[in-house]
């Protein structure tokens, strides 16, 4: 299914659209990197939960947490296993 919200992935202060493969690859995400995923828009919480389940199912993440409520949108921090 298509996501109804925007999804941005950030690493080392560089942010890219998570729906586009080449910009995503330009982040060079490696094992034990910490990245930020920002979900904003319609159904952001539901879509973030789907992403969480997907990443946990494939054992891609070590930690998934949502920081304080002062951040707009649905904002998550991940430590990667891959």
């Amino acid at each position: 299914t298509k996501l109804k919200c925007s999804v941005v992935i950030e690493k080392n202060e560089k942010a890219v659209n998570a729906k586009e493969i080449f910009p995503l690859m330009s982040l060079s995400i490696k094992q034990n990197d910490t990245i930020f995923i920002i979900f904003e828009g319609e159904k952001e919480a539901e879509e973030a939960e789907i992403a969480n389940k997907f990443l946990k199912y494939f054992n891609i993440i070590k930690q998934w947490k949502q920081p304080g409520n002062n951040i707009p949108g649905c904002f998550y921090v991940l430590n990667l296993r891959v």
Side-chain angles (χ1 to χ4, degrees):
T1 64
K2 289 196 172 205
L3 296 173
K4 297 195 185 268
C5 66
S6 69
V7 183
V8 174
I9 295 181
E10 182 180 319
K11 177 186 167 197
N12 297 332
E13 299 184 20
K14 180 179 179 184
V16 300
N17 181 349
K19 297 178 185 179
E20 297 178 10
I21 189 68
F22 291 116
L24 186 57
M25 290 171 53
S26 75
L27 293 177
S28 300
I29 298 169
K30 297 175 187 63
Q31 185 175 12
N32 296 319
D33 282 350
T34 297
I35 63 170
F36 301 91
I37 302 179
I38 301 118
F39 296 84
E40 290 186 296
E42 187 180 340
K43 298 189 177 188
E44 61 192 26
E46 294 92 344
E47 292 178 0
E49 186 57 32
I50 291 168
N52 179 18
K53 288 178 182 177
F54 174 85
L55 294 170
K56 284 183 177 177
Y57 179 82
F58 288 103
N59 201 28
I60 294 172
I61 60 172
K62 292 181 185 174
Q63 182 181 27
W64 174 277
K65 66 179 180 176
Q66 183 174 10
N69 294 337
N70 59 341
I71 300 168
C74 205
F75 186 90
Y76 292 87
V77 180
L78 293 110
N79 276 345
L80 303 177
R81 285 188 199 276
V82 292

